[in-house]
Amino acid sequence: MRVMGRAVRAWIRCVLYCVGVLAISPGHVWATASCHSNPPWLYTLNFPARVAVARDLPNGSPLTGWVSTPLTTNYWTCNQSESWFTGTDFEAAGIIPTTPTSYTRSYNGVSFPVYATNVPGVGMALGGVIYTNGRTRGPFGFPQLGYQWNQNGTAVNNGGQLIGSLVKIGSVTPGTVSGQLAQAFSWESALKTQPPGNLDFSAGVINFDMTPVIITVLTCQTPDVNVDMGTQTPADFPGLGAPSSKSRSFNLAFNNCPAGVADSTDPASLSGLIHSVQYRIDPISPDRLVSGYSNVVALDSGTSQAGGVGIQLYDSTGTVLPLATYMPLNGFDGTKANSYSLSMKASYFRIGAISPGTANATLLMTVQYQ
């Protein structure tokens, strides 16, 4: 029994000895940081209340200028022992998915990724800057937005700034873009790398949302046009490959085109109004163009009995209207609510031996708004 007792006492002395060794080991083994967030815990990107988008504005076009939260230096205050790395990390949240689209938008020479939002066709470019212990870094684009600095045992502040812009990424559906955009987390590590590192959720989360933006789609009203060609006889056609001497006038209408205001916050933004209107006229299918003749449309097979003629269109000067070609709506002003009218003419065009009957043709007008 005495031998066993001595062994136990020796083991206890060994444990005490080992604990003593750990207690005098170098302090950096125990280095860490204790951070806490500071109010306010919610920041807001202040966007325009309304954004008007021309229907055919190219994808990737900016819809607003850049807006940002204030550069805040104290999202967190961190008390640190010895050498430790802390900083700020931004992550997409709320209406913003973690995976960006293929579009980007440049901010001060840095490419920011564009994410989808809760409104189809409208994206959000996101990025920002990081503030750590008196140093500002950035701008950086999501999703790798973060920077840290070795604080060497002092109490420090970490913060940042979120920057965003709306971007067209597809066919726009009218709606309201709103909700949470991102969150910021306190970041810490024993190494000056990211990753590895840890997001210190216990330090408190900083949230970012946006003011609601009502998205509208700008178009004009373009009613159908029926042109009564009247009754015509072979005597009205001077010869093969020539139009009838009896043309009919009609108007193409662009009604109730809305007024808009260009986004003054960013010259690169194309939103706010319709900048230009173009139109083109095509047969209902490519095979309805008459081979061998310039811009002559064949009669509809289902509703026509006549033969030997097609239809040709002319502008107000009497010049043949080119088909399948976009042309500008001259005089259009996107800053004013207005209606526009184009004077045109239609004529039968002889393409062969004429036979009697109804002679109908259908053409399709496409309007492009940018």
Side-chain angles (χ1 to χ4, degrees), residues 174-197:
T176 301
V177 183
S178 63
Q180 185 182 32
L181 304 178
Q183 291 181 312
F185 303 91
S186 181
W187 184 96
E188 63 179 62
S189 176
L191 302 172
K192 192 180 179 181
T193 56
Q194 182 182 0

Side-chain angles (χ1 to χ4, degrees), residues 54-259:
R55 186 187 64 189
D56 303 301
L57 190 69
N59 292 342
S61 298
L63 299 180
T64 67
W66 292 102
V67 297
S68 62
T69 61
L71 177 57
T72 303
T73 61
N74 64 336
Y75 292 159
W76 298 277
T77 298
C78 297
N79 296 303
Q80 301 171 232
S81 63
E82 299 303 330
S83 298
W84 200 254
F85 293 91
T86 63
T88 299
D89 180 86
F90 281 95
E91 302 286 344
I95 66 170
I96 305 300
T98 56
T99 302
T101 68
S102 60
Y103 297 100
T104 61
R105 190 176 180 211
S106 178
Y107 176 83
N108 286 354
V110 176
S111 185
F112 283 9
V114 176
Y115 297 83
T117 69
N118 62 307
V119 172
V122 179
M124 176 78 72
L126 281 175
V129 298
I130 297 298
Y131 175 91
T132 51
N133 192 30
R135 295 171 178 264
T136 301
R137 293 290 185 270
F140 300 108
F142 273 33
Q144 297 177 352
L145 180 58
Y147 190 83
Q148 51 287 331
W149 192 255
N150 190 343
Q151 312 301 347
N152 295 319
T154 58
V156 299
N157 288 325
N158 295 323
Q161 179 183 43
L162 186 69
I163 303 168
S165 171
L166 293 180
V167 178
K168 184 175 184 288
I169 59 174
S171 179
V172 174
T173 299
T176 301
V177 183
S178 63
Q180 185 182 32
L181 304 178
Q183 291 181 312
F185 303 91
S186 181
W187 184 96
E188 63 179 62
S189 176
L191 302 172
K192 192 180 179 181
T193 56
Q194 182 182 0
N198 298 304
L199 298 182
D200 184 4
F201 299 99
S202 65
V205 179
I206 307 299
N207 296 289
F208 300 87
D209 64 7
M210 62 180 292
T211 55
V213 181
I214 298 173
I215 303 294
T216 58
V217 178
L218 300 176
T219 62
C220 305
Q221 297 174 0
T222 53
D224 293 341
V225 180
N226 293 312
V227 182
D228 184 356
M229 298 299 294
T231 300
Q232 303 197 25
T233 69
D236 296 318
F237 294 88
L240 184 67
S244 165
S245 59
K246 295 180 179 179
S247 62
R248 291 291 186 269
S249 297
F250 67 97
N251 293 322
L252 291 179
F254 301 80
N255 296 332
N256 300 317
C257 298

Side-chain angles (χ1 to χ4, degrees), residues 232-234 237 299 304-310 348-360:
Q232 303 197 25
T233 69
F237 294 88
L299 301 180
S304 300
Q305 292 81 43
V309 296
Y348 285 123
F349 189 94
R350 185 173 177 181
I351 58 175
I354 296 176
S355 58
T358 57
N360 300 320

